């Protein structure tokens, strides 16, 4: 399961708050093999992805690619910029479309548009992909409405639901879909929002009004920013000693933690909060006069430790622990020891925006300027070093196969052994 929202940046964290926004010794570093796999010619290339651009579109792009091996499909999310003709909102308008291509032939299987004839255009969207082919899409529309869609792997609509507020959607560990509303702020700076869980048939499982707004949902935990907001000249801003409430799948609060004064837990755009497979929660914070620390909470909510980490590093979960990445070096940690289990130094020139993300098949993917590494998370063993000089973006990797969009065309590359 994967959401199309991922933003990974390699610059250092700062202490500035986001105003108005809701027992092992270290191993010697191992070096990546110099052999870089040069991809063979593409197995196939798709028809033009943007052949159906509407006449008045200002621009068009592919925002996401996601392969689903169980259905022999590759999903492509396209977006077209549409002129705002009403002036009722300053937000940009979009026409979003989900397309499915055969992973065997590259032929278009179906297309589903989030725009109805003569209907409103989208202001923002979010797509969540499942391993069994269903895609959940959330859309905020220019007429002030919000809609949730469940789209079958055949391209048919399973169901759709109107929502009463802007929201974020997340596929949880048990297969339920969490809908966390953005909420509203009262005169005292208190945010009131609602959590809801639906099964894959669109049946409401439970719901809970809460104080606060969603920070991160993953696995079987939901992290909520629960502090009152501070008022400033520009509106409301997050407090510098935030309280985080942690909820379970029953939507009951399990525990709460207030971070030290002058803490920024809201990040810089890179991943900063993680839920491990056993329910352990990791939260990164930058604390004035202290620096960056990663806080670990056991499944019952007990604070296990706060570990100092490099401010310029990228963090990512491995499912049972975490890694840090800085200056071409990956270091692997578990939750029981503050010393790295192992580390590996990667070759190549860092990209302008470096990211470390989890792939659909459970590995880690790290991009460089001329290559991309696929790394086995539990050992940091290098699975692949792929020459990406001629690849476009976005890309997806699963089971020794790369899907890449370049010049408006989707390509499939099979990595030979």
């Amino acid at each position: 399961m994967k959401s199309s929202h991922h933003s990974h940046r390699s610059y250092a964290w700062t202490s500035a708050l986001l105003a108005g926004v809701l027992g092992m010794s270290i191993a010697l570093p191992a070096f990546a093999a110099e052999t870089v796999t040069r991809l063979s010619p593409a197995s196939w290339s798709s028809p033009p992805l943007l052949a159906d651009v509407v006449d008045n579109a200002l621009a068009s792009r592919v925002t996401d690619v996601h392969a689903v091996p169980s259905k022999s499909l590759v999903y492509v999310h396209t977006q077209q910029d549409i002129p705002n003709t009403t002036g009722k909102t300053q937000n940009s308008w979009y026409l979003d479309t989900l397309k499915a291509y055969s992973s065997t032939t590259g032929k278009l299987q179906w297309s589903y548009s989030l725009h109805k004839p003569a209907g409103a255009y989208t202001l923002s969207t979010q797509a969540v992909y499942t391993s069994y082919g269903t895609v959940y899409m959330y859309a905020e529309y220019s007429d002030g409405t919000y809609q949730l869609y469940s789209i079958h792997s055949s391209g048919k609509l399973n169901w759709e639901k109107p929502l009463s507020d802007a929201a974020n959607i997340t596929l949880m560990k048990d297969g339920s879909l969490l809908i966390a509303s953005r909420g509203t702020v009262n005169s005292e700076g208190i945010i009131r929002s609602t959590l809801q869980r639906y099964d894959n048939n669109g049946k409401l499982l439970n719901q809970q009004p809460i104080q606060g707004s969603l920070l991160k949902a993953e696995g079987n935990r939901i992290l909520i920013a629960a502090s009152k907001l501070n008022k400033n000249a520009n509106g409301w801003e997050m407090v510098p000693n935030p309280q985080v409430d942690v909820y379970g799948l029953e939507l009951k609060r399990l525990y709460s933690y207030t971070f030290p004064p002058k803490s920024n837990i809201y990040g810089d755009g890179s991943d900063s909060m993680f839920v491990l497979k056993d329910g352990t929660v990791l939260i990164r914070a930058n604390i004035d006069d202290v620096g960056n620390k990663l806080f670990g909470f056991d499944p019952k909510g007990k604070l296990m430790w706060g570990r100092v980490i490099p401010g310029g590093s990228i963090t990512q979960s491995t499912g049972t622990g975490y890694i840090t990445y800085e200056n071409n070096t990956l270091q692997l940690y578990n939750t029981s020891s503050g010393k790295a289990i192992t580390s590996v130094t990667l070759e190549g020139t860092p990209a302008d925006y470096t990211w470390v993300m989890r792939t659909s098949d459970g590995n880690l993917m790290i991009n460089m300027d001329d290559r991309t590494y696929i790394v086995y998370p539990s050992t940091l063993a290098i699975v692949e070093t792929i020459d990406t000089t001629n690849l476009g973006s976005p890309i997806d990797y699963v089971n020794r196969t790369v899907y890449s969009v370049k010049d408006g065309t989707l390509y499939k590359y099979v990595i030979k052994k």
Side-chain angles (χ1 to χ4, degrees):
M1 50 189 157
K2 183 177 78 173
S3 167
S4 63
H5 283 189
H6 19 253
S7 175
H8 307 268
R9 301 294 177 89
S10 58
Y11 48 83
W13 278 40
T14 69
S15 59
L17 296 178
L18 302 181
V21 179
L22 301 180
M24 297 180 72
S25 61
I26 186 170
L28 293 176
F31 286 84
E34 293 185 3
T35 301
V36 178
T37 301
R38 299 190 182 278
L39 296 175
S40 301
S43 301
W44 51 252
S45 59
S46 72
L49 301 173
L50 301 169
D52 56 351
V53 173
V54 296
D55 292 338
N56 63 337
L58 303 174
S60 56
R61 68 190 65 83
V62 176
T63 66
D64 199 35
V65 171
H66 183 81
V68 183
S70 66
K71 295 296 181 180
S72 299
L73 292 175
V74 185
Y75 290 124
V76 175
H77 180 187
T78 66
Q79 189 175 74
Q80 301 175 46
D81 297 357
I82 304 298
N84 182 334
T85 59
T86 66
K88 293 181 179 179
T89 173
Q90 295 183 356
N91 298 76
S92 299
W93 288 8
Y94 305 106
L95 192 159
D96 288 85
T97 305
L98 180 69
K99 300 181 178 183
Y101 292 84
S102 166
S103 62
T104 304
T105 66
K107 293 182 178 180
L108 178 66
Q109 303 300 293
W110 51 263
S111 179
Y112 190 94
S113 175
L114 298 190
H115 172 71
K116 295 179 174 61
Y121 291 99
T122 56
L123 302 179
S124 65
T125 57
Q126 185 185 356
V128 173
Y129 304 94
T130 70
S131 60
Y132 49 89
T134 292
V135 182
Y136 296 105
M137 296 198 76
Y138 160 81
E140 177 180 349
Y141 284 99
S142 56
D143 62 357
T145 60
Y146 313 93
Q147 201 75 12
L148 176 66
Y149 303 89
S150 171
I151 304 169
H152 191 267
S153 59
S154 65
K156 304 296 183 181
L157 187 67
N158 290 321
W159 47 265
E160 63 177 306
K161 291 185 182 298
L163 303 178
S164 59
D165 192 7
N168 283 285
I169 61 174
T170 308
L171 193 66
M172 304 303 290
K173 185 177 183 178
D174 64 348
S176 63
L177 185 72
L178 175 75
I179 302 174
S181 70
R182 184 181 301 165
T184 56
V185 186
N186 66 18
S187 60
E188 297 178 348
I190 297 174
I191 300 174
R192 299 292 184 186
S193 62
T194 302
L195 302 178
Q196 296 177 312
R197 285 172 58 245
Y198 288 87
D199 68 13
N200 59 5
N201 294 315
K203 177 184 176 182
L204 180 64
L205 298 174
N206 52 3
Q207 64 179 356
Q208 181 66 44
I210 62 168
Q211 176 177 320
S213 59
L214 181 72
L215 287 167
K216 176 68 175 283
E218 185 179 14
N220 59 358
R221 295 290 185 267
I222 304 161
L223 281 56
I224 300 296
S227 299
K228 292 183 179 181
L229 304 184
N230 288 337
K231 191 72 175 287
N232 64 21
N234 298 316
W236 297 101
E237 67 177 3
M238 298 292 194
V239 298
N241 60 326
Q243 175 184 323
V244 175
D245 289 349
V246 178
Y247 289 74
L249 295 178
E250 297 303 315
L251 305 186
K252 303 298 182 183
R253 188 171 66 177
L254 303 177
Y255 59 92
S256 181
Y257 182 79
T258 301
F259 281 80
K262 299 182 179 180
S263 292
N264 172 21
I265 64 169
Y266 312 112
D268 60 1
S270 60
D271 286 347
S272 61
M273 300 180 187
F274 312 99
V275 179
L276 304 186
K277 293 178 180 178
D278 65 353
T280 294
V281 170
L282 307 179
I283 300 177
R284 180 173 180 169
N286 185 81
I287 307 171
D288 282 5
D289 303 323
V290 175
N292 270 232
K293 295 184 76 173
L294 191 67
F295 291 78
F297 302 87
D298 73 14
K300 294 184 178 181
K302 178 183 178 182
L303 177 63
M304 299 183 293
W305 39 257
R307 297 176 181 172
V308 175
I309 59 175
S313 66
I314 300 171
T315 47
Q316 186 56 259
S317 165
T318 66
T320 56
Y322 65 95
I323 61 99
T324 62
Y325 175 75
E326 185 182 37
N327 298 328
N328 287 44
T329 299
L330 279 168
Q331 291 192 303
L332 173 66
Y333 296 83
N334 60 23
T335 58
S336 60
S337 173
K339 295 182 178 180
I341 298 171
T342 189
S343 67
V344 60
T345 299
L346 306 178
E347 298 179 355
T349 304
D352 290 338
Y353 292 109
T354 301
W355 37 256
V356 180
M357 60 183 290
R358 284 172 284 178
T359 65
S360 298
D361 58 4
N363 290 304
L364 296 176
M365 181 161 58
I366 304 101
N367 71 316
M368 309 292 281
D369 189 51
D370 63 343
R371 69 195 70 183
T372 292
Y373 287 94
I374 308 298
V375 176
Y376 191 60
S378 63
T379 63
L380 299 190
I382 295 172
V383 179
E384 307 284 358
T385 307
I386 306 167
D387 179 3
T388 52
T389 305
N390 296 318
L391 288 182
S393 178
I395 69 171
D396 191 23
Y397 169 91
V398 60
N399 301 334
R400 299 183 62 83
T401 302
V402 176
Y403 298 93
S404 170
V405 172
K406 186 174 184 180
D407 299 327
T409 300
L410 176 65
Y411 295 88
K412 175 184 177 180
Y413 300 91
V414 178
I415 301 173
K416 296 181 179 179
K417 295 182 179 181

